[in-house]
Amino acid sequence: MFNWNDKFAARAAHMKRSSIREILKLTQKPDIISFAGGLPAPESFPVERVRQAADKVLRERFNDALQYSLSEGLPELRDFIAQRMSRPGLTLTRDNILIVGGAQQAIDMIGRVLLDENDRVVVENPTYLGMLIAWKPYNLRYATVDTDNDGLRVEQVEAIFRQKPKLIYLVPNFQNPQGVTLSFARRRELVRLLNKYQVAVVEDNPYGDLRYSGEDIPSLYELDSNQVIYLGSFSKIVAPGLRVGWVAAPPPILDKILEAKQSTDLHTSPLTQMIIHEVVKDGFLDEHIPRLRALYRQRRDVMLQMLERYFPPEVQWSRPDGGLFLMVTLPKHVPAAELLKHAIQHKVAFVPGDDFHVGEAGRNTLRLNFSNAQLTQIEVGIQRLGNLLKEVLVKEGGLFALP
Ligand SMILES: Cc1ncc(COP(=O)(O)O)c(C=O)c1O
């Protein structure tokens, strides 16, 4: 038998499968109510628009749509994004924008062009699992910063910046997994520290448009575009299956990411870029985003109400102003991964928080997605989970014990 294990590169030893993708396989049975994935609501997909756009593109521009294309991305889509991101005092052009196959691809390529083995990188703890997985091969030294209801605790950052990290990775709006948002005052202070210590920042913002309460806050990129690599995505505002996102960044870093892009996949599919452009170019997002907000606001509100009603008082959770997730904190002695095994028997699923954390923290946390399930499923699912938790917590010392 040929032994592939002997052939893997050393860096492949650090790679691992996404636990969420593994859990998603388990939860795809129709009788399980899943709060596990980060999936948008399928009923929100603009199917008819996409169909018409695909028809039009294939009828009128099939040669460009099906041919090899520019690595930078479709010029008219880059213009659209540049215009949408421009603000008074911040004018973007297509030269500031690179189209990628989803923000996830950008995270992977940023790793390749900026990170060396053992580099010091600053992250929120917990942080986005897809970033931790993408950057795993670099064997990074993470410096973690705690978060509270106002996001990253910026007062912890200066001491870390003194140690000259290469970059900080952040999801400032409705973070995945916690749902928390970095306040305006903290953004300003963070930008001051980034300037003072010359640290680069990756601002990953796939959820920025999905705000259900509170006021929009300027991005770090708006506050100071020189040190920021901004990642945007159509996944949550049009459809993730089209795999189109973008990077907005200063030319030197954008050029390097472009080189990585050329060796990764040459370019993002022109067909999907043209479809997206056709869908969004005439003001569609101005109607669609309010619809998404209304849909997800209701789902968030129902989930929060059900948590109040059915979860035992020892359990806490975040109350996000937007995005797709909230995070639940169980009493210290209850490991969420163990709870999940029982939850699946009770036909409800979530993602345990361990993997979002750097280090040993977070074993008593779990992430709940509220965008994908219907309202009645949210009601039934949270009740099931609440009943299970009550059962677990009345057992003396808890049903489970952490080793
Ligand atoms: C924080 C964060 N970044 C990036 C991504 C990936 O987005 P995309 O679909 O654009 O690759 C996700 C998706 O869930 C995410 O939550």
Side-chain angles (χ1 to χ4, degrees), residues 116-233:
D116 287 314
E117 281 249 331
N118 293 319
D119 268 349
R120 191 178 287 279
V121 168
V122 187
V123 290
E124 298 156 285
N125 204 20
T127 187
Y128 172 51
L129 177 62
M131 178 278 296
L132 290 174
I133 288 175
W135 292 355
K136 197 126 181 108
Y138 306 109
N139 216 5
L140 301 172
R141 286 177 300 154
Y142 284 111
T144 60
V145 183
D146 299 327
T147 48
D148 61 20
N149 285 338
D150 283 334
L152 184 86
R153 291 187 45 197
V154 174
E155 75 276 12
Q156 296 179 2
V157 166
E158 185 151 19
I160 296 173
F161 278 9
R162 280 199 197 101
Q163 298 169 346
K164 301 200 182 316
K166 189 168 267 177
L167 62 83
I168 176 167
Y169 168 89
L170 280 181
V171 184
N173 289 317
F174 327 122
Q175 194 231 26
N176 177 3
Q178 289 180 294
V180 294
T181 295
L182 189 63
S183 70
F184 184 47
R186 287 190 182 177
R187 288 180 198 217
R188 275 207 308 224
E189 174 60 5
L190 182 63
V191 167
R192 188 185 73 78
L193 294 170
L194 292 167
N195 294 159
K196 182 170 172 193
Y197 292 96
Q198 293 293 292
V199 178
V201 54
V202 178
E203 177 176 35
D204 189 5
N205 190 27
Y207 305 110
D209 284 307
L210 301 181
R211 178 177 276 284
Y212 322 129
S213 44
E215 297 287 317
D216 281 338
I217 305 175
S219 64
L220 298 171
Y221 187 78
E222 281 167 59
L223 296 178
D224 181 354
S225 57
N226 290 320
Q227 280 170 241
V228 183
I229 305 172
Y230 177 100
L231 310 184
S233 177

Side-chain angles (χ1 to χ4, degrees), residues 73-360:
L74 199 70
E76 56 268 39
L77 184 60
R78 292 161 67 212
D79 287 343
F80 174 88
I81 294 164
Q83 210 180 8
R84 192 159 186 267
M85 285 186 71
S86 290
R87 298 278 182 278
L90 174 70
T91 308
L92 277 76
T93 69
R94 67 172 71 154
D95 293 334
N96 302 110
I97 307 293
L98 168 68
I99 304 292
V100 290
Q104 183 64 38
Q105 185 187 43
I107 294 171
D108 184 67
M109 295 190 299
I110 289 165
R112 272 199 286 147
V113 303
L114 284 183
L115 298 175
D116 287 314
E117 281 249 331
N118 293 319
D119 268 349
R120 191 178 287 279
V121 168
V122 187
V123 290
E124 298 156 285
N125 204 20
T127 187
Y128 172 51
L129 177 62
M131 178 278 296
L132 290 174
I133 288 175
W135 292 355
K136 197 126 181 108
Y138 306 109
N139 216 5
L140 301 172
R141 286 177 300 154
Y142 284 111
T144 60
V145 183
D146 299 327
T147 48
D148 61 20
N149 285 338
D150 283 334
L152 184 86
R153 291 187 45 197
V154 174
E155 75 276 12
Q156 296 179 2
V157 166
E158 185 151 19
I160 296 173
F161 278 9
R162 280 199 197 101
Q163 298 169 346
K164 301 200 182 316
K166 189 168 267 177
L167 62 83
I168 176 167
Y169 168 89
L170 280 181
V171 184
N173 289 317
F174 327 122
Q175 194 231 26
N176 177 3
Q178 289 180 294
V180 294
T181 295
L182 189 63
S183 70
F184 184 47
R186 287 190 182 177
R187 288 180 198 217
R188 275 207 308 224
E189 174 60 5
L190 182 63
V191 167
R192 188 185 73 78
L193 294 170
L194 292 167
N195 294 159
K196 182 170 172 193
Y197 292 96
Q198 293 293 292
V199 178
V201 54
V202 178
E203 177 176 35
D204 189 5
N205 190 27
Y207 305 110
D209 284 307
L210 301 181
R211 178 177 276 284
Y212 322 129
S213 44
E215 297 287 317
D216 281 338
I217 305 175
S219 64
L220 298 171
Y221 187 78
E222 281 167 59
L223 296 178
D224 181 354
S225 57
N226 290 320
Q227 280 170 241
V228 183
I229 305 172
Y230 177 100
L231 310 184
S233 177
F234 288 105
S235 289
K236 308 303 189 307
I237 53 173
V238 179
L242 293 170
R243 307 306 303 132
V244 180
W246 68 93
V247 184
I253 176 71
L254 212 57
D255 285 354
K256 266 289 158 213
I257 301 174
L258 178 71
E259 287 166 20
K261 171 96 183 144
Q262 287 175 344
S263 65
T264 302
D265 64 354
L266 301 178
H267 57 76
T268 297
S269 157
L271 176 61
T272 57
Q273 291 184 71
M274 285 179 184
I275 291 172
I276 294 250
H277 183 250
E278 239 352 274
V279 168
V280 299
K281 72 178 197 254
D282 295 320
F284 168 74
L285 292 177
D286 298 337
E287 307 153 21
H288 190 58
I289 288 171
R291 281 197 296 262
L292 290 174
R293 287 181 176 173
L295 178 71
Y296 293 150
R297 180 184 295 118
Q298 198 183 22
R299 291 184 182 190
R300 174 202 64 173
D301 289 348
V302 168
M303 185 171 277
L304 288 172
Q305 281 160 17
M306 295 302 125
L307 289 167
E308 289 293 346
R309 189 173 305 165
Y310 295 114
F311 269 34
E314 303 91 313
V315 177
Q316 290 165 350
W317 53 89
S318 57
R319 290 169 177 77
D321 279 330
L324 308 187
F325 307 105
L326 58 83
M327 193 150 211
V328 174
T329 305
L330 307 169
K332 277 254 173 296
H333 66 276
V334 184
E338 282 299 312
L339 185 71
L340 177 63
K341 293 180 193 158
H342 294 258
I344 286 178
Q345 282 161 16
H346 287 71
K347 307 253 178 278
V348 58
F350 54 80
V351 183
D354 319 29
D355 287 351
F356 303 112
H357 286 79
V358 175
E360 292 300 300

